[in-house]
Amino acid sequence: QVQLQESGGGLVQPGGSLRLSCAASRSIFSINPMGWYRQASGKQRELVATMTRGGSTNYAESVKGRFTISRDNAKNTVYLRMNSLKPEDTAVYYCNAWDLAYEYWGQGTQVTVSS
């Protein structure tokens, strides 16, 4: 099993930046892939970005060029750097991990983009 703990959410003005972190309870070296999803109020959860152990990335079209996912295996942590934030990025952001056949989720961190 692996526990995931997100941090770094908050309130930011449009055009601002945030960096989310997802700390895993054990080594993420074998976890493949890891990623971020988000769920806005009244909407379904959607993929934001994923990253494989080999470094391949996948982004939602709506965040391409603005968000960057990265992972630090030494720190058992995955990051999501979010730039040029828009009000429509407001959501609860969840960390996700696949370890063999098992899927794990964090508890989520709120990101609110508003002036």
Side-chain angles (χ1 to χ4, degrees), residues 31-103:
I31 297 177
N32 189 42
M34 291 192 74
W36 293 91
Y37 288 70
R38 67 186 181 187
Q39 187 167 17
S41 181
K43 296 188 177 181
Q44 289 189 331
R45 192 172 297 188
E46 63 177 2
L47 178 146
V48 176
T50 60
M51 189 173 197
T52 68
R53 188 174 63 182
S56 297
T57 58
N58 181 43
Y59 293 94
E61 284 295 328
S62 60
V63 307
K64 280 183 179 179
R66 300 188 298 122
F67 290 12
T68 304
I69 188 171
S70 61
R71 59 192 286 171
D72 186 336
N73 289 340
K75 295 183 178 180
N76 301 332
T77 301
V78 174
Y79 303 98
L80 184 69
R81 178 67 181 181
M82 306 185 293
N83 295 328
S84 303
L85 283 161
K86 305 175 181 180
E88 51 264 43
D89 294 318
T90 295
V92 178
Y93 284 70
Y94 296 91
C95 183
N96 174 271
W98 279 93
D99 187 16
L100 300 179
Y102 298 95
E103 185 177 27

Side-chain angles (χ1 to χ4, degrees), residues 7-9 18-22 36 78-80 82 93 109 111:
S7 61
L18 282 175
R19 189 181 77 159
L20 304 183
S21 299
C22 171
W36 293 91
V78 174
Y79 303 98
L80 184 69
M82 306 185 293
Y93 284 70
T109 185
V111 172

